């Protein structure tokens, strides 16, 4: 049965449900909405770094280090995969694995780099990269920086009907976590494949888990 369309002032398209009993809202331009959320959430995370965490001590010269940009590219690839996945889940479009392929390549680069690095590090230095205090701080800070973006993205999801709320929430969390991890690099001075590859990814996945749980609870 064909759906009737109606457009509201806020740019959200509503389609009549198949039984004709009501209207089901559907975002017409999810990518633009999510881009706006990314800008707002990224600025909020940046302010949190400035006024809460502080910038890393070597921020004046950090941009001269190749790993500074490599770390940012790694987390940005994760954020892009979450962004693309969420946008496509909202508009129910065909899968396009480009962003996921880029994220997988980034993961492989850090996996190979991490294994190579771990084989060369002294046991004491390697153990410090697994310090519970450092790992816990990394997880907590990434999740805290991701909260503004995640909450905004979940607000958008509450206005649309998705067939996979858990997956949509997970994608929202990965988007928010990857963006937050990119900003977190302005505070965190760690420059090793092992630490960034493992614990930045762990923080992003933790955000994804939080998004999946919260969106599932909101959709019940």
């Amino acid at each position: 049965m064909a759906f009737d369309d109606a457009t509201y002032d806020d740019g959200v398209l509503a389609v009549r449900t198949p039984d004709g009993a009501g209207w089901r809202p559907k975002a017409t331009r999810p990518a633009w909405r999510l881009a706006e959320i990314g800008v707002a959430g990224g600025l909020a995370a940046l302010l949190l770094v400035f006024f809460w965490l502080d910038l890393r001590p070597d921020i004046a010269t950090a941009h001269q280090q190749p790993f500074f940009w490599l770390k940012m590219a790694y987390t940005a690839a994760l954020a892009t995969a979450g962004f693309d996945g969420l946008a496509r889940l909202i508009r129910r479009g065909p899968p396009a694995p480009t962003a996921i392929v880029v994220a997988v390549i980034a993961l492989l680069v850090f996996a190979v780099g991490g294994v190579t690095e771990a084989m060369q590090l002294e046991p004491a230095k390697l153990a410090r990269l697994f310090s519970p205090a450092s790992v816990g701080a990394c997880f907590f800070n990434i999740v805290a920086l991701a909260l503004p973006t995640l909450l905004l993205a979940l607000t958008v999801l509450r206005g649309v009907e998705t067939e996979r709320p858990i997956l949509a929430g997970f994608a929202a969390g990965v988007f928010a976590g990857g963006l937050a991890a990119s900003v977190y690099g302005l505070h965190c001075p760690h420059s090793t494949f092992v630490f960034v590859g493992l614990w930045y990814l762990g923080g992003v996945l933790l955000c994804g888990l939080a998004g999946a749980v919260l969106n599932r609870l909101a959709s019940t």
Side-chain angles (χ1 to χ4, degrees), residues 10-39:
D10 61 359
V12 175
L13 180 72
V15 295
R16 190 178 293 279
T17 55
D19 58 5
W23 296 91
R24 173 171 58 81
K26 180 181 179 183
T28 57
R29 296 182 298 175
W32 283 107
R33 290 288 181 89
L34 294 179
E36 292 170 354
I37 287 173
V39 171

Side-chain angles (χ1 to χ4, degrees), residues 23-71:
W23 296 91
R24 173 171 58 81
K26 180 181 179 183
T28 57
R29 296 182 298 175
W32 283 107
R33 290 288 181 89
L34 294 179
E36 292 170 354
I37 287 173
V39 171
L43 288 175
L46 189 60
L47 289 174
L48 287 172
V49 168
F50 274 123
F51 297 106
W52 174 43
L53 296 177
D54 292 331
L55 296 173
R56 53 190 289 177
D58 63 341
I59 190 64
T61 59
H63 67 281
Q64 300 174 2
Q65 305 170 17
F67 195 87
F68 175 83
W69 299 107
L70 185 61
K71 178 166 64 172

Side-chain angles (χ1 to χ4, degrees), residues 84-191:
D84 183 71
L86 181 57
R88 293 181 182 280
L89 284 168
I90 290 175
R91 66 171 180 256
R92 301 180 183 180
T98 304
I100 296 178
V101 169
V102 172
V104 169
I105 291 174
L107 288 169
L108 288 175
V109 169
F110 268 76
V112 173
V115 171
T116 304
E117 191 176 65
M119 295 173 62
Q120 298 174 350
L121 288 174
E122 298 177 0
K125 292 183 178 180
L126 183 62
R128 282 199 293 269
L129 299 179
F130 289 82
S131 166
S134 297
V135 175
C138 182
F139 284 0
F140 177 81
N141 290 334
I142 288 177
V143 172
L145 295 180
L147 277 179
T149 306
L150 177 58
L151 294 178
L152 288 172
L154 292 179
T155 300
V156 170
L157 284 177
R158 290 197 66 182
V160 298
E161 182 181 314
T162 56
E163 297 177 344
R164 302 175 180 177
I166 295 178
L167 186 58
F170 180 78
V174 171
F175 167 48
L179 180 62
S182 298
V183 178
Y184 182 56
L186 297 175
H187 164 78
C188 177
H190 280 286
S191 300

